[in-house]
Amino acid sequence: MADVAIPRAKPQLSEDSVWTQLKHNRNWLGFWFMVPAMAFLIFFLAYPLGLGIWLSFTDTRIGRVGHFVATENYEWLWDDSIFWLSVFNTLLYTFVASALKFAIGLYLALLLNENMPFKAMLRAMVLIPFIVPTVLSALAFWWIFDSQFSIISWSLKHLGLINQNINFLGDTTWARICVIFANIWRGVPFVAITLLAGLQTVSPSLYEAATLDGATRWQNFRYITYPLLTPIIAVVMTFSVLFTFTDFQLIWAMTRGGPVNATHLMATLSYQRAIIAGQLGEGAAISSAMIPFLLAAIMVSWFGLQRRKWQQGESND
């Protein structure tokens, strides 16, 4: 009679062996190191975001529990001219400030990458606007553009170019220019230093070979510097757009959204409606309306990086 093979039961891992595997497996070890960061993000980011979205569908006010009103807050915002003005201001503020910060930051990065005397000191000085607290910077610019004590108006009057002080923060056009200028002054160091770090990774031998082939400075930048900096540019501009789009402290300290709501951004309008006016549901709706714009900026950067990888023949994984 032929022997029948009896399948053996798989040995079950003891609790000690499972714990040993968890301790020594590199993938699980990485997971355990990520748990504190995940808990931090969930508690301080995901939960407030979810709560804010929920509040946007209620009529909650400060001191009063709200009720679910579906999309009533969003329907009201759709017909609110001040809200659409804040959307326009936010897009204008973000586009102009981000574009100029990139242009000036890239120029400074290229300049600081050259051999020059006191280069270390100049790099440290470039960082000063970025490390100064935002509110302190805003108050300084508020004094610079003050209608009575402006140093700019004082200088122009002594030069005989104007007869009376310029009301920088009292005119709608000038107020927008002033807040954009302040944001550029504060944001340029971040772009410049980040791009400078990227320039340090470019091998000088590439420029030497291109120069021997007769390439000009513009051709070196166009065909060597810019392609190699593309991933860093995508990341730094994504952060720059996000920081600019959600700017609050600079605007609130300088103009509080005035004059005539000319400098109200979506962030400042949300604060005004939710905290000052006490309408938490409406303020949360304005904040939630910012999410599609921020996701669009992130997706543009992400698809740009993926397209760059595809052009270079790299995997998208």
Side-chain angles (χ1 to χ4, degrees):
M1 183 174 182
D3 295 336
V4 179
I6 300 176
R8 298 181 179 179
K10 295 182 179 179
Q12 296 182 352
L13 296 175
S14 64
E15 293 183 1
D16 292 338
S17 60
V18 172
W19 178 245
T20 302
Q21 183 179 3
L22 291 179
K23 288 193 297 182
H24 295 286
N25 186 289
R26 297 185 63 181
N27 294 330
W28 279 102
L29 184 63
F31 172 77
W32 292 122
F33 276 113
M34 290 177 61
V35 166
M38 291 170 57
F40 180 86
L41 292 175
I42 292 173
F43 186 76
F44 289 101
L45 294 179
Y47 172 72
L49 176 62
L51 180 60
I53 295 175
W54 164 251
L55 287 175
S56 69
F57 294 103
T58 67
D59 60 352
T60 305
R61 294 176 179 269
I62 293 180
R64 190 197 75 181
V65 178
H67 303 282
F68 182 76
V69 294
T71 59
E72 183 177 320
N73 288 323
Y74 294 97
E75 293 173 1
W76 190 88
L77 289 178
W78 186 264
D79 298 325
D80 185 5
S81 59
I82 299 178
F83 168 73
W84 287 111
L85 178 61
S86 71
V87 174
F88 169 78
N89 292 336
T90 304
L91 295 177
L92 176 68
Y93 180 79
T94 302
F95 177 78
V96 176
S98 298
L100 291 177
K101 281 188 289 188
F102 171 70
I104 299 172
L106 180 60
Y107 174 77
L108 286 176
L110 294 172
L111 187 64
L112 295 174
N113 195 43
E114 300 289 337
N115 292 324
M116 62 176 65
F118 308 107
K119 182 166 61 175
M121 183 181 298
L122 292 174
R123 290 178 179 178
M125 291 176 61
V126 168
L127 278 174
I128 292 178
F130 188 69
I131 63 178
V132 173
T134 305
V135 175
L136 184 59
S137 301
L139 291 176
F141 278 107
W142 181 77
W143 277 103
I144 291 174
F145 297 124
D146 184 73
S147 59
Q148 296 182 1
F149 307 104
S150 172
I151 185 64
I152 300 176
S153 297
W154 181 86
S155 301
L156 294 176
K157 285 174 64 176
H158 279 70
L159 292 174
L161 300 178
I162 59 175
N163 297 323
Q164 59 183 2
N165 291 350
I166 302 174
N167 190 9
F168 288 103
L169 300 180
D171 180 78
T172 57
T173 302
W174 273 115
R176 286 171 176 159
I177 294 174
C178 291
V179 295
I180 289 175
F181 178 83
N183 181 272
I184 292 171
W185 181 85
R186 176 163 175 77
V188 160
F190 169 73
V191 179
I193 296 301
T194 307
L195 294 181
L196 178 61
L199 288 173
Q200 300 293 308
T201 64
V202 181
S203 175
S205 61
L206 298 175
Y207 296 109
E208 295 173 0
T211 303
L212 292 176
D213 290 337
T216 62
R217 293 177 64 90
W218 165 250
Q219 290 173 331
N220 284 339
F221 173 81
R222 174 65 180 84
Y223 296 104
I224 298 177
T225 305
Y226 178 74
L228 294 178
L229 278 183
T230 299
I232 299 176
I233 291 174
V235 173
V236 72
M237 288 308 299
T238 300
F239 280 102
S240 179
V241 169
L242 295 182
F243 293 155
T244 308
F245 192 90
T246 58
D247 194 8
F248 170 80
Q249 299 179 64
L250 192 66
I251 301 295
W252 193 256
M254 287 185 64
T255 64
R256 281 175 168 71
V260 199
N261 302 311
T263 59
H264 248 321
L265 305 186
M266 297 176 72
T268 57
L269 182 63
S270 173
Y271 175 80
Q272 185 186 65
R273 299 282 176 86
I275 305 302
I276 297 180
Q279 301 173 354
L280 293 178
E282 184 181 334
I286 298 174
S287 297
S288 300
M290 299 170 62
I291 297 176
F293 296 99
L294 299 176
L295 289 178
I298 295 173
M299 294 306 295
V300 167
S301 174
W302 187 81
F303 280 116
L305 288 176
Q306 296 303 312
R307 181 173 179 271
R308 185 66 187 171
K309 290 182 178 179
W310 176 78
Q311 288 178 341
Q312 295 177 348
E314 300 180 10
S315 173
N316 291 335
D317 297 335

